[in-house]
Amino acid sequence: MTHLRIFRRIAGLCLAGGLLISSAASAQTVAPTNRDVIQEITDVVGLKPRFELRATSQVENAAAVVYNGHRYLLYNPQFLAAVNRAGHTDWAGISILAHEMGHHLNGHTLRPGGSQPADELEADEFSGFVLRKMGASLAEAQAAMAVASDDAGSATHPGRRNRLGSIGAGWQRADGQIAASTRATAPSAKPVALNPQPQAMPVRTVAAATPVSVVGRITFRSNPDEPYYLTSRLNVVRLGDDHTAQVVGRLTRSDSQYFPYVLVDGQERRLYVSAQGGVYNARGQQVGLVSDPS
C-alpha cells in the first residue's frame, strides 16, 4: 500500500471555522474493531478517558487536536481499515490511536507549530508502551508503522527505522515492568490507616561535612532550576541553604535491561531510570535526566 504519514494537525489550521469538528460530530463515533479502545488505553496508564474519539472523513489518516478546550482523537475509518489489512492485525489501528493519544499526554498539542520528529518518536514510544500493557506482541505493536511510515525521515517525521525503534523501546519498558511485577510478591491491598493529625514525612538530614562522593546530577523537567545529586551510596540528596544535604530518595537496581535502576522517594513512589540516564514515570513519560555532576 502507499506509505501514508500519521501526523498531528494544528487546531488553529485544521479546525478553522469549526468545520472539522462539526463534520466529525455527525460522523460515526464507534472505535474501530468495536472495542472501547480509549477506555482500554487509559486504563493501562491509570488515567480517566478525557478524550473524544471521532470518526471522520475530514482527516486523511489520524490526528490529535485540541478545540475549545476539548481533546479530540480524529481518525479516518477507511485509513485504519487499510492499515489493519496491510498489517494483518487489528492492533495496527489501535496503535495509531495510542500514538495520537501520546501526542496529547506528552503536551505536543499544547505547543504551537506543526509535527516534529522528536514529538513523533515520543508518541511512538508511548504507543509501544501501551500496546504491550494491552497484550500486543512487539510485531503487532510495530505493524502500523511498518506499513504506514516512510523509509526516509523528513523535517516533520522520522524515518521508519527510528520509529520502529521507539515503539520497541516503549514496548520493552512495559515488558520490563510486567516481568518485574510478576516476580515480586503481590503487595497488600489493605488501605492506609489515617491518623487524626497526619505528620509530615520525615526527611533525613546529613551534615555537609560528612564525606560524600557525588556521582551524578538529577534534573527534573517540572523544576529544572533545583538540582538533585546522586551519591556513591545511591542516595538522592537535595542541598539546603543551611549547608546540609537532605536525603529525599534512593536509587535501587532492577533486573530490567532497559531500565537498570528505579528511583524511589520517601513516600515509596517510583520512577524508572533508563540505561541512557532518562528518568521516566509509570506512564512512560520522561520527567527528568541523570547527568554528570560537573
Side-chain angles (χ1 to χ4, degrees):
M1 63 177 291
T2 301
H3 295 308
L4 299 175
R5 291 178 180 170
I6 299 171
F7 58 94
R8 174 167 54 94
R9 298 180 182 272
I10 308 306
L13 298 177
C14 294
L15 304 181
L19 295 178
L20 185 60
I21 291 301
S22 63
S23 62
S26 61
Q28 182 183 5
T29 59
V30 179
T33 74
N34 294 322
R35 297 169 59 179
D36 191 348
V37 177
I38 300 304
Q39 183 71 59
E40 290 185 46
I41 294 174
T42 52
D43 279 349
V44 299
V45 292
L47 298 176
K48 297 291 184 182
R50 304 190 188 280
F51 306 89
E52 293 192 35
L53 182 64
R54 299 288 178 90
T56 175
S57 61
Q58 299 299 307
V59 295
E60 182 182 358
N61 35 59
V65 298
V66 178
Y67 185 72
N68 284 342
H70 296 284
R71 293 187 288 185
Y72 294 90
L73 297 175
L74 308 178
Y75 72 96
N76 187 310
Q78 286 71 37
F79 169 74
L80 279 151
V83 170
N84 283 342
R85 287 194 300 270
H88 306 292
T89 174
D90 288 345
W91 286 111
I94 294 171
S95 74
I96 289 173
L97 297 180
H99 171 96
E100 297 303 332
M101 187 181 291
H103 281 310
H104 278 309
L105 295 180
N106 282 294
H108 304 158
T109 53
L110 302 179
R111 299 197 300 261
S115 298
Q116 300 178 19
D119 290 351
E120 297 303 319
L121 291 177
E122 283 190 354
D124 287 338
E125 189 169 345
F126 176 80
S127 173
F129 179 88
V130 162
L131 262 68
R132 173 62 186 94
K133 292 280 191 175
M134 293 174 68
S137 69
L138 177 56
E140 289 168 334
Q142 294 175 322
M145 285 304 164
V147 299
S149 60
D150 293 329
D151 285 329
S154 68
T156 60
H157 288 72
R160 179 182 294 112
R161 186 177 297 275
N162 288 336
R163 304 198 70 167
L164 295 179
S166 288
I167 293 171
W171 193 95
Q172 295 288 357
R173 183 167 73 254
D175 189 62
Q177 292 180 11
I178 292 171
S181 67
T182 57
R183 286 193 298 269
T185 303
S188 170
K190 183 178 180 180
V192 65
L194 297 179
N195 296 323
Q197 294 181 338
Q199 299 296 316
M201 192 72 185
V203 176
R204 186 156 53 97
T205 301
V206 181
T210 302
V212 174
S213 175
V214 175
V215 297
R217 173 184 174 130
I218 305 176
T219 306
F220 292 99
R221 290 182 173 180
S222 60
N223 190 7
D225 295 329
E226 183 174 5
Y228 294 80
Y229 296 95
L230 180 65
T231 72
S232 55
R233 295 185 178 181
L234 299 186
N235 286 324
V236 178
V237 301
R238 178 177 58 204
L239 298 182
D241 295 334
D242 56 350
H243 303 290
T244 59
Q246 298 175 329
V247 178
V248 296
R250 67 186 185 279
L251 212 63
T252 61
R253 294 184 182 275
S254 75
D255 295 328
S256 170
Q257 174 185 356
Y258 299 92
F259 293 87
Y261 292 96
V262 178
L263 197 162
V264 185
D265 70 6
Q267 299 180 35
E268 296 301 316
R269 294 175 298 193
R270 293 171 178 265
L271 296 173
Y272 302 90
V273 182
S274 72
Q276 293 74 37
V279 181
Y280 295 82
N281 62 21
R283 289 181 292 179
Q285 298 170 309
Q286 185 169 358
V287 297
L289 180 68
V290 179
S291 59
D292 189 270
S294 59

